[in-house]
Amino acid sequence: MAILMLKVLPVVLFLIFYVSSSVARSDTYIIHMDISAMPKAYSDHHSWYLSMLSSISETSNAAATATTTTILNSKFIYAYTNSIHGFSAVLTASELEALKKFPGYISSTRDHPLTVHTTHTSQFLGLSSFSGAWSGSNYGEDVIIGLVDTGIWPESQSFNDQGMTKVPSRWKGKCMAGTQFNSSLCNKKLIGARFYNKGLIANNPKFKIPMNSPRDVSGHGTHTSSIAAGSYVKGASYFGYATGTARGMAPRARLAMYKVVWRYGVYSSDVVAAIDQALQDGVNVLSLSLGIGLDDTLLENDPIAVATFAAMEKGIFAVASAGNDGPLYWSLINGAPWLVTVGAGTLDREFEGILTLGSGVKINFNSLYPGNYSSSRMPLVYMDECDSVTELKKVKNAIIVCKDNLSISGQVVKAISAGVSGAVFISNSSYSELYTRSSFPAAFVGLHDGQSIIDYIKKNINPTGSFQFQNTVIGTKPAPRVDSYSSRGPFLSCPSILKPDLLAPGSLILGSWSPISSVAKVGSHLLFSNFNLLSGTSMATPHVAGVAALIKAAHPDWSPAAIRSALVTTANSLDNTLCPIEDVANDNLPASPLDIGAGHITPNKALNPGLVYDATAEDYIKLLCAMNYTTTQIQIITKSSHNCINRSLDLNYPSFIAFFNNYDSNPEDKIVQEFWRTVTNVEEVGASYTANLTGLDDLKVFVEPQRLVFKQKFEKKKYKLSLEGPKLLKKVVVYGSLNWVDDNGKYVVRSPIVATSLVPESP
């Protein structure tokens, strides 16, 4: 499982078994069960599962010499109640086959590992204490955000509860005691902390867990928690970079941590157990910065997709990271239609070092070098390719200048080995964040600046230079841009729904950190900090979770779909230069909705969107039926049986995607694709809206009717969007938007439209 990133397995009944391999190989499974098949003799589903497990274990030779209790303790992992129906356990192949014969068995899924997808952002998003989403929601007060992650460092100042009211009486969670963690570490901000690793241990029985508690030894979970709902912390910084007051998106919201990610990895069975408990505890928002890999494209095999369907049914807003596997199409994960899927963008903030030449010319470069460095002048020596450690040692007291004709990474290694005082590396390649976090004073510059440095050295007898670090520049343009690592749509498991949904800050985000996890290295010395700068869709996701908490606080009766609609239809497709958001990975050309969804999150507008596109669990089931999911597959996801009398790919979603990719006939023949949508007026008074269409070259677009007139709050209106174009588009992606503009100009309800010739691969 990745931290971006969690992988969730099917919802119905799950079980995972672990069996010693002394006689037969065992694997861990999540088993989906039909709970309606439970015999009346059993008081609850837990005892039913144990009875089945005991029965199949007694038939094995290995079980003959062990007591029933010992067998169950070694095999049984979790019973699931809320997120899915089932349990997890360790089973041999013969035991799994025996289990399949029991009434109520639906399916089994092997326990998969998942992946993790891994300040100033509140200002960049326009959040202010004087007006807008913060004041309009009382900073998200009493909304409970649950995070499934690496744990939390409870002593961090980001989780102080100063000024917080008492814990809501509806909360059913708790703080689990464990290694270096007791229940008293929770407070009115951090109101819950649990940990799950039975699945990890079942899959890796030799592993020893040194920090067997909710305490975060990695830093990732502490970071995401502080982004979502961290309290105010003055003087926060990363070694002088990004200095200021840190706070989360919803500073008065509550936090509950469900630790599932460990040093050795994370497994689906633990993730499902965590989400299962979070639903029972009473969280309002779920933030998931991890996910299953791209190797399995079926929704019923995705633990996050399955478990969060149950969250949606309970009115819990779930948001997940799109993944860090960009920039190719079809690289997105966590794209289930009931999830909000988030891509990652940059901020209007850069971290720099400055190289000042003896002539007074200053050259700025990206840098996060954390060490103390003298700004005194030093000799500047041009060494061309810097391919000899012996030669570099001769000028170790100078700032060497290297030109990349072969491998920049090799030059960096040689410079470190030689122990040079500083270095300038010149290359035409884009520098990754890894290089900006250099362990010694170094500048990484492009060919233009590099040539200026070389010319200066060649024209002067005694060329000199000096470094300065820890500079933070605010207000850079253009911003945001979608970063290259952010995974792109369409979503292979459900291409008829446009993903990602939107973009949020994800690159070099300042957040709280575990002080026992190193954040940098200077020379051979590891450095530690209470704050760290990280990049990833992992960081973008809790931004959306926090803003969703603000909306939930202002509109407690809104469904998850209504909150999603508010976020999507108010997102901004323009950057701070009022030009289309750019794509870093595509030579800074305009990004399409397959890169950024509707655009960048805009919290203040999302609080009052004018109109919303709502959806129910039944609507999602109609979509699954239209996707030709079998009765069994749908039961795994929904925990109930459906006959699929009603089918529709027309989910009431706040965006549109159409495929014009028919290669089997005359590509010039015209086809029409139609979409029906229903919008609800959520303002206190009536209003009138007029349709406005933008973009969409090579297509004819129609909206019927072109005006929507609402006389009262919660009134609904239906409309049809039609796209007419060739069976095969000449361009890979064509995009535009449908904007419903109210007569007073107060609201613009914007939905992105994508037409593409991309061909979905078969699952």
Side-chain angles (χ1 to χ4, degrees), residues 510-588:
L510 184 72
S512 290
W513 195 250
S514 170
I516 62 173
S517 178
S518 62
V519 297
K521 187 177 183 181
V522 172
S524 59
H525 301 288
L526 295 177
L527 301 183
F528 300 84
S529 172
N530 292 324
F531 286 86
N532 197 5
L533 288 161
L534 290 187
S535 296
T537 53
S538 276
M539 286 61 253
T541 301
H543 280 94
V544 176
V547 175
L550 300 179
I551 300 174
K552 186 69 175 178
H555 305 287
D557 57 337
W558 280 16
S559 69
I563 296 174
R564 171 185 64 209
S565 176
L567 292 166
V568 170
T569 61
T570 60
N572 194 349
S573 62
L574 304 180
D575 60 28
N576 56 3
T577 69
L578 301 182
C579 293
I581 292 174
E582 297 176 355
D583 182 357
V584 171
N586 192 22
D587 295 325
N588 293 320

